[in-house]
Amino acid sequence: MVQSLQVSDTVTTWVDVCSLYAIAPYTGVCALVKGEQVAIFRVGNGDEVYALSNYDPFSKAFVLSRGIVGDRNGTLKVASPIYKQNFSLTTGQCLDEETVKIPTFGVRVVADRVQVAVS
């Protein structure tokens, strides 16, 4: 018996957003990527970057890129500038309300340019 498996090829397209140096260390910027607001955060002085949805589900506003970047018990996070809920930069999980999670995006730095993944 021969069994066939469905293979789905996923091709990742990278969208160039900005220079790494346009993002001050420990801050975020917002970019419109394929019609969606993406908050991109730079952690430290190097090229460590993270990308989340810019939408704060608690305030119902697109403001997370203006949040405060920090750490909670070893978890990199951003605190919403409005009601201060904290979201993991790696998973999008709300650290204050376990039922809430926001989308994350693939992000990389190539030749000092920040790129966000879209499918």
Side-chain angles (χ1 to χ4, degrees):
M1 174 182 198
V2 175
Q3 202 174 29
S4 65
L5 298 175
Q6 187 176 14
V7 177
S8 78
D9 291 327
T10 306
V11 177
T12 301
T13 302
W14 294 93
V15 175
D16 186 80
V17 174
C18 65
S19 164
L20 174 65
Y21 305 107
I23 309 171
Y26 298 103
T27 67
V29 296
C30 182
L32 191 60
V33 179
K34 292 269 188 166
E36 188 159 356
Q37 288 191 34
V38 178
I40 303 164
F41 300 95
R42 181 176 176 199
V43 177
N45 293 317
D47 62 359
E48 187 177 359
V49 290
Y50 299 88
L52 305 169
S53 171
N54 194 40
Y55 184 73
D56 174 5
F58 294 97
S59 67
K60 299 185 181 353
F62 292 91
V63 294
L64 288 181
S65 62
R66 297 179 182 201
I68 300 168
V69 175
D71 172 292
R72 180 187 279 180
N73 300 323
T75 299
L76 291 173
K77 56 97 177 171
V78 61
S80 171
I82 298 185
Y83 296 124
K84 309 300 186 237
Q85 279 83 6
N86 293 277
F87 297 90
S88 166
L89 291 178
T90 56
T91 67
Q93 180 64 51
C94 180
L95 303 176
D96 303 305
E97 176 61 52
E98 66 183 39
T99 62
V100 177
K101 186 175 182 179
I102 60 174
T104 60
F105 297 86
V107 63
R108 68 182 185 183
V109 177
V110 176
D112 295 329
R113 299 292 301 173
V114 176
Q115 299 176 343
V116 174
V118 295
S119 10

